[in-house]
């Protein structure tokens, strides 16, 4: 039983290795392994114009051809298939095939591990191929976060009309469009009027205005500014705005976002809706937890509970009335 299992596994590995895909190369012979005990089928990417080689014999003339040929070949007219069969254990033939005006050399030899089916494909130079990636390549492909770069994005966005003509290399992958996306909490109203996208650096610059709708100055922490993109929220890397905002005034605001929260690329499309959310405009989880009114969390401040004096007996009067 053990011997049968070993033979079965060996046969499975042999046949598994005989099914391959190889690249057609015009400068190097393509190795094809044959055997007298089985046929080998080659599938080309297109119909063959001809096959030539000393030692090849067609299937109809293979009988008694031991002295004039060592490899039997069959090729249906107009097809892209070759069927090969070694006629002896020492068969070795170099053959040339014509495909789409190019010549390719097949090095066909009888071996103990023959090919069963081989798919031949062309090496398309224009298509991207697999390449080894080094740690240095990974580091160079990462996004670079630097305050000077953020200021550079802001300046390039503001002066795009002038600088783009003078320094076109700085605007590779740059696009921009007008917008009108508003966020209004009743106290602060933000409006995005222009969107700039630097796809190479995965950065977005938003230009717009902030209106203070209250009768007193409004102060906020620019580091807590966020940008709502569709149903996602991205933290701002740079916020440029006058603070505090005078009562009833409308001032410009510029916001820069880059990458995703985890440090990877966000790849945000410029066609998204971008809305600037200021910290004084939204309320926070802490204000909700502490019961502070204002913002999107309209929760009243909890009433202060007074402890029962030690000299008082029984339950509070409010509980007695309820019963």
């Amino acid at each position: 039983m053990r011997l049968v299992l070993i033979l079965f596994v060996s046969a499975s590995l042999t046949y598994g290795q005989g099914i391959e895909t190889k690249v057609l190369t015009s400068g190097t012979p393509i190795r094809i392994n044959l055997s007298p005990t089985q046929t080998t089928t080659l599938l080309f990417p297109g119909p063959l114009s001809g096959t030539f080689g000393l030692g090849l014999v067609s299937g109809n003339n293979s009988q008694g051809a031991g002295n004039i040929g060592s490899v039997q070949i069959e090729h249906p007219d107009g097809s892209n298939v070759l069927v090969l069969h070694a006629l002896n254990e020492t068969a070795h033939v170099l053959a040339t095939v014509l495909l789409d005006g190019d010549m390719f050399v097949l090095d066909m030899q009888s071996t103990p591990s023959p090919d069963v089916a081989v798919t031949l494909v062309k090496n398309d130079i224009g298509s991207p191929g697999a390449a080894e990636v080094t740690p240095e390549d990974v580091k160079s492909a990462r996004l670079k976060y630097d305050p000077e770069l953020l200021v550079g994005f802001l300046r390039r966005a503001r002066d795009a009309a002038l600088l783009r003509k003078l320094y076109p290399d700085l605007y590779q992958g740059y696009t921009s469009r007008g917008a009108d996306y508003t966020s209004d909490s009743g106290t602060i109203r933000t409006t995005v009027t222009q969107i700039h996208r630097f796809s190479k650096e995965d950065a977005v610059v938003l230009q717009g205005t902030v209106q203070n709708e209250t009768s007193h100055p409004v102060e906020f922490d620019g580091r807590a500014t966020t940008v709502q993109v569709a149903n996602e929220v991205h933290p701002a890397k740079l916020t440029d705005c006058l603070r505090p905002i005078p009562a009833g005034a409308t001032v410009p605001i510029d916001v820069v976002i880059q990458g995703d929260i985890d440090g990877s690329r966000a790849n945000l499309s410029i066609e998204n809706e971008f809305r600037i959310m200021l910290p004084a405009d939204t309320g926070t989880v802490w204000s909700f937890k502490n019961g502070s009114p204002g913002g999107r969390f309209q929760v009243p401040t909890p009433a202060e509970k007074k402890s029962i004096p030690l000299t008082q007996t029984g339950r509070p009067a409010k509980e007695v009335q309820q019963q």
Side-chain angles (χ1 to χ4, degrees), residues 50 120 166 181 193 204 256 284 286 301:
L120 297 167
L166 299 176
Y181 301 124
T193 58
V204 176
V256 182
T284 65
W286 297 109
T301 304

Side-chain angles (χ1 to χ4, degrees), residues 255-320:
V255 175
V256 182
I257 60 177
Q258 185 185 21
D260 208 345
I261 298 176
D262 59 356
S264 62
R265 293 180 62 92
N267 293 320
L268 299 175
S269 171
I270 195 175
E271 301 301 328
N272 283 315
E273 294 186 3
F274 294 85
R275 302 180 189 275
I276 301 174
M277 313 296 290
L278 300 182
D281 185 29
T282 60
T284 65
V285 175
W286 297 109
S287 64
F288 171 71
K289 178 180 179 181
N290 297 326
S292 300
R296 67 175 64 173
F297 302 108
Q298 302 296 332
V299 180
T301 304
E304 182 180 358
K305 294 183 179 180
K306 297 182 179 180
S307 59
I308 301 175
L310 296 178
T311 57
Q312 180 178 339
T313 60
R315 290 170 292 179
K318 184 177 180 180
E319 295 185 9
V320 176

